[in-house]
Amino acid sequence: MLEKTKRKMAKAFSGSERSKELNVEHLGIDFPFKSRYGNFINGKFQAPKAGRYFDNHTPITGEFLCEVARSDSSDIESALEAAHAAFPSWGKSSATDRAKVLNKIADVMEENLHLLAAAESLDNGKAVREAVAADIPLAIDHFRYFAGCIRAEEGSVSELNADTYAYHYKEPLGVVGQIIPWNFPILMGIWKIAPALAAGNCVVLKAAEQTPASIMVLMELLADVIPAGVLNVVNGFGLEAGKPLASSSRISKVAFTGETTTGRLIMQYAANNLIPVTLELGGKSPNIFFESVMSEDDAFPDKALEGFTMFALNAGEVCTCPSRALIQESIYERFMEKALPRVEAIKQGNPLQLETMIGAQTSNEQMEKIISYLKLGKEEGAELLAGGGASKVMGDEFGGGYYIQPTVFKGHNKMRIFQEEIFGPVVSVTTFKDEAEALEIANDTLYGLGAGVWTRDGTQAFRAGRTIQAGRVWTNCYHDYSAHSAFGGYKQSGIGRENHKMMLDHYRQTKNLVVSYSPDALGFF
Amino acid sequence: MKEKVSATKIAQEFLEELKLRYGADLLFHQSGGCCDGSSPMLFEKKEFVISDSDISLGTICNVPFYMNRNQYSRWEHTNLVVDLVDGMGGMFSLDNGTGKRFLIRSEVCTVKE
């Protein structure tokens, strides 16, 4: 595979000229990236101390986008220094002032929605229409949600007796470390940044090396909005920059989204420093379609079929990708008769065009991994119903990019294509006889992040939702990521939750004051 | 147990290069889950704690290869081949930042072992 290197092609493009495929004028913006980004530390862009940078390419064509800081532990230290210097003031700032900053961030992002969406699409390869309609608006709303939460909440008072009271306050943890994945670089960043800042923490964040640039475009916009040192973003490789951050004794908490082995390692580092962690490590989400879905010829079957096709959202690079579809035997033929044309109709193309439904995978290794699973699925004896390989619709101009056909397999739940998150536009379909079998299959997995249940029977929906061992069960919907609903994993999918005001408690500790208003001694001594 | 894991020549050569840089006391741990999930991670032995929850699948160039037991129970019908591709990722794995990534290719076992 090495001979087929995409990078050679990318190099040929590098320099000032860009192919017309990367044009973003139709979005009403200029090209989002500068030629080089340092780290965002203490409110300013700073060159990495060792002066090293790495080339960032777009998965759309493989072309060079910009240079990004290749940081090391000295840059992490400098970011931690800035965060610690900012914390005494930010940690004590009023909820009113913090909410004002969060709302201002949201306003600035909203004014630059297309710029941020295009940056996200160029950096990650995702269809810009998803970034415009989902990623960036959800990120904006996240800030507004947490700004609202901290204005409305209050501590509590317990009356221990008529003279003695226990006051409970929430205090920020301090300086926290956050390591962000590459599938939703801005949205996943903000899922972690917004509650941390709302709770009064200062942040050192390491962006993923596969998608390091879009968040720097955001930092350029926010440099004057966030007080210096409160949010610091460092780029570089996991080994050189991520590890010094995760293992630092100067952080009070570490939050990570990724996979299980690194999750374990991060817990090890946290154990050494006796600090809390939150982890989101992915899933293998079942999407269950009960027979009542097809019992009427109304709008609902169409909604359910869209729910099935949601495996292709973000080219399948979603931790809750509904990558196992469980369809009741009695409706299987009728359902798939409609589902497969729906999959065939997914428009693959230049991610920067608003009509494109599925864009590029984010990296070469991700594409290789998906292809290895497509081969394995066939070897395991799964029946290929759609797709099954690299995209055939993309022209030579996208030859340096990473495109996979939306793929549907039919098989059984013991196959590895049903057991591991392929993180591509690949759904593995199986059938079940009755509710009990559906739930047994749904729970026969190491993971438990998301699930979908589709039925007209409310009692069945409730029963299924409560029985599925997953942190979130979408019922008659899928891929809704509102800030006001908790997201996180059962089993090996992780620890802790994101979204929802409960997330604030992952970034705070409780201070209790027990206060006596009585002048009298107890009489022990 | 019969060796369940092997490596392509380019992966072996690259592993030898990494040994020159980091020493020979290395281990692989197979990841699961999202993002860089399904990827083999290479660490110095002192870096990653192997426990009873892991199972050894064999060695590659004398480097032991481990996987979580529960994950293995879902993977045991496949043999794993460590290959090498171009790539930027890898989290804290020792191939990170080299421009190369170890990648797992899987083959269905032909005989029940």
Side-chain angles (χ1 to χ4, degrees):
Chain A
M1 286 293 161
L2 288 177
E3 311 79 64
K4 281 194 187 172
T5 176
K6 309 274 178 181
R7 297 271 178 259
K8 283 180 192 154
M9 180 156 183
K11 284 288 178 198
F13 275 118
S14 67
S16 55
E17 70 196 78
R18 269 186 301 273
S19 69
K20 64 180 188 337
E21 282 67 35
L22 301 189
N23 195 328
V24 289
E25 277 170 26
H26 60 289
L27 299 168
I29 51 162
D30 293 330
F31 190 71
F33 299 113
K34 291 201 164 54
S35 58
R36 172 184 270 193
Y37 290 97
N39 294 313
F40 184 76
I41 295 175
N42 208 22
K44 295 187 291 287
F45 281 89
Q46 300 189 9
K49 290 194 186 303
R52 295 193 302 169
Y53 294 84
F54 67 95
D55 287 355
N56 182 36
H57 299 263
T58 177
I60 296 176
T61 58
E63 284 168 81
F64 171 82
L65 283 182
C66 56
E67 283 186 315
V68 174
R70 181 170 180 170
S71 310
D72 57 30
S73 57
S74 65
D75 301 298
I76 293 292
E77 278 308 313
S78 137
L80 286 166
E81 204 62 53
H84 277 280
F87 179 66
S89 161
W90 181 250
K92 288 205 161 41
S93 63
S94 69
T96 316
D97 287 344
R98 290 200 305 278
K100 206 182 281 178
V101 171
L102 299 186
N103 279 321
K104 181 72 181 156
I105 294 172
D107 292 345
V108 169
M109 289 182 73
E110 202 161 52
E111 285 156 20
N112 292 279
L113 191 148
H114 282 92
L115 180 78
L116 292 168
E120 199 70 326
S121 178
L122 283 160
D123 209 12
N124 163 284
K126 70 177 64 208
V128 73
R129 75 172 199 160
E130 288 179 12
V132 167
D135 299 44
I136 307 301
L138 286 168
I140 292 165
D141 187 57
H142 223 71
F143 280 111
R144 293 192 173 131
Y145 172 76
F146 281 105
C149 286
I150 57 170
R151 292 301 303 277
E153 64 173 4
E154 50 205 2
S156 69
V157 185
S158 314
E159 185 175 336
L160 305 182
N161 58 49
D163 291 322
T164 318
Y165 295 83
Y167 298 94
H168 297 96
Y169 305 89
K170 300 287 188 184
E171 295 183 349
L173 295 174
V175 172
V176 298
Q178 303 180 330
I179 297 180
I180 306 301
W182 44 261
N183 57 341
F184 293 87
I186 289 181
L187 183 61
M188 291 302 103
I190 279 158
W191 274 19
K192 289 182 172 49
I193 293 167
L197 298 190
N201 300 277
C202 292
V203 171
V204 177
L205 179 142
K206 155 77 173 68
E209 52 267 53
Q210 295 93 332
T211 53
S214 60
I215 197 160
M216 297 325 255
V217 174
L218 178 60
M219 290 305 108
E220 283 182 302
L221 298 172
L222 299 180
D224 298 328
V225 176
I226 305 175
V230 168
L231 172 60
N232 306 277
V233 179
V234 180
N235 263 312
F237 291 105
L239 191 57
E240 295 167 352
K243 185 177 150 186
L245 175 60
S247 57
S248 172
S249 59
R250 300 184 71 198
I251 54 172
S252 300
K253 179 229 166 82
V254 57
F256 169 67
T257 295
E259 33 60 54
T260 56
T261 295
T262 307
R264 269 174 69 169
L265 200 48
I266 282 183
M267 286 191 87
Q268 262 179 237
Y269 297 146
N272 294 339
N273 291 318
L274 289 173
I275 56 167
V277 294
T278 43
L279 302 172
E280 195 268 84
L281 306 177
K284 187 68 186 174
S285 302
N287 203 10
I288 307 174
F289 298 88
F290 288 105
E291 60 189 0
S292 64
V293 166
M294 306 294 279
S295 67
E296 307 275 340
D297 188 19
D298 54 8
F300 187 51
D302 184 64
K303 185 185 186 191
L305 289 160
E306 186 188 40
F308 171 88
T309 318
M310 284 288 187
F311 73 89
L313 189 90
N314 205 41
E317 292 173 349
V318 189
C319 293
T320 39
C321 176
S323 55
R324 288 189 296 151
L326 282 48
I327 300 167
Q328 194 150 10
E329 256 175 27
S330 54
I331 59 164
Y332 177 76
E333 297 294 336
R334 275 191 297 151
F335 188 90
M336 293 308 288
E337 218 167 77
K338 293 192 167 151
L340 291 176
R342 197 80 172 230
V343 172
E344 302 288 350
I346 296 172
K347 189 175 171 358
Q348 188 156 43
N350 184 344
L352 291 166
Q353 296 302 320
L354 284 160
E355 71 273 14
T356 295
M357 298 180 191
I358 184 170
Q361 309 306 139
T362 298
S363 65
N364 177 57
E365 73 244 51
Q366 186 55 30
M367 185 175 73
E368 292 278 4
K369 183 171 95 183
I370 297 165
I371 288 172
S372 79
Y373 270 110
L374 297 179
K375 180 171 166 284
L376 176 62
K378 292 167 199 165
E379 265 192 48
E380 285 184 305
E383 184 188 349
L384 184 65
L385 302 181
S391 173
K392 295 188 173 73
V393 299
M394 303 302 290
D396 290 346
E397 62 276 30
F398 296 98
Y402 314 120
Y403 296 88
I404 299 279
Q405 292 174 308
T407 295
V408 182
F409 277 118
K410 187 185 183 202
H412 63 76
N413 198 54
K414 300 293 180 196
M415 293 174 171
R416 270 186 50 202
I417 56 169
F418 282 80
Q419 288 294 334
E420 276 296 313
E421 191 54 87
I422 297 169
F423 227 50
V426 184
V427 63
S428 302
V429 181
T430 194
T431 58
F432 61 88
K433 280 192 181 56
D434 54 20
E435 187 182 305
E437 192 189 14
L439 298 176
E440 187 196 322
I441 295 170
N443 284 332
D444 181 14
T445 171
L446 299 175
Y447 306 103
L449 191 59
V453 171
W454 300 82
T455 173
R456 293 173 193 266
D457 177 345
T459 311
Q460 181 176 54
F462 179 78
R463 234 177 5 243
R466 293 301 303 266
T467 308
I468 294 170
Q469 296 290 305
R472 172 177 293 175
V473 182
W474 280 288
T475 306
N476 294 335
C477 60
Y478 207 95
H479 275 333
D480 181 310
Y481 296 94
S482 307
H484 198 17
S485 47
F487 180 91
Y490 277 38
K491 301 198 276 188
Q492 292 198 13
S493 289
I495 297 173
R497 292 293 178 268
E498 300 193 90
N499 294 264
H500 195 271
K501 63 182 177 177
M502 71 175 71
M503 180 63 176
L504 289 167
D505 286 339
H506 285 309
Y507 282 100
R508 299 191 296 205
Q509 48 198 338
T510 299
K511 168 63 60 66
N512 166 233
L513 301 185
V514 175
V515 181
S516 170
Y517 292 99
S518 161
D520 301 324
L522 289 176
F524 277 124
F525 299 105
Chain B
M1 188 171 73
K2 189 172 175 293
E3 295 240 331
K4 297 279 292 182
V5 64
S6 61
T8 60
K9 189 158 176 288
I10 49 169
Q12 292 181 36
E13 285 167 2
F14 188 61
L15 179 55
E16 294 296 348
E17 270 178 47
L18 290 174
K19 277 187 188 171
L20 293 177
R21 190 161 158 199
Y22 293 103
D25 250 0
L26 306 179
L27 63 84
F28 277 107
H29 193 272
Q30 173 64 42
S31 192
C34 283
C35 304
D36 291 350
S38 299
S39 299
M41 301 293 191
L42 181 70
F43 302 118
E44 293 183 64
K45 278 185 182 164
K46 64 181 186 206
E47 188 73 16
F48 190 88
V49 177
I50 293 296
S51 77
D52 288 345
S53 66
D54 298 300
I55 185 167
S56 166
L57 302 190
T59 60
I60 294 162
C61 305
N62 294 319
V63 172
F65 189 105
Y66 295 96
M67 182 188 285
N68 173 271
R69 278 179 194 278
N70 289 329
Q71 190 174 345
Y72 178 69
S73 71
R74 315 282 171 149
W75 286 47
E76 62 182 334
H77 63 287
T78 54
N79 288 327
L80 308 182
V81 181
V82 179
D83 196 4
L84 191 71
V85 296
D86 288 332
M88 292 277 285
M91 297 305 304
F92 306 162
S93 178
L94 296 177
D95 51 354
N96 178 249
T98 62
K100 301 276 181 269
R101 281 290 287 128
F102 290 114
L103 178 94
I104 286 292
R105 299 191 190 280
S106 309
E107 295 166 351
V108 175
C109 306
T110 45
V111 183
K112 184 89 181 162
E113 285 152 19

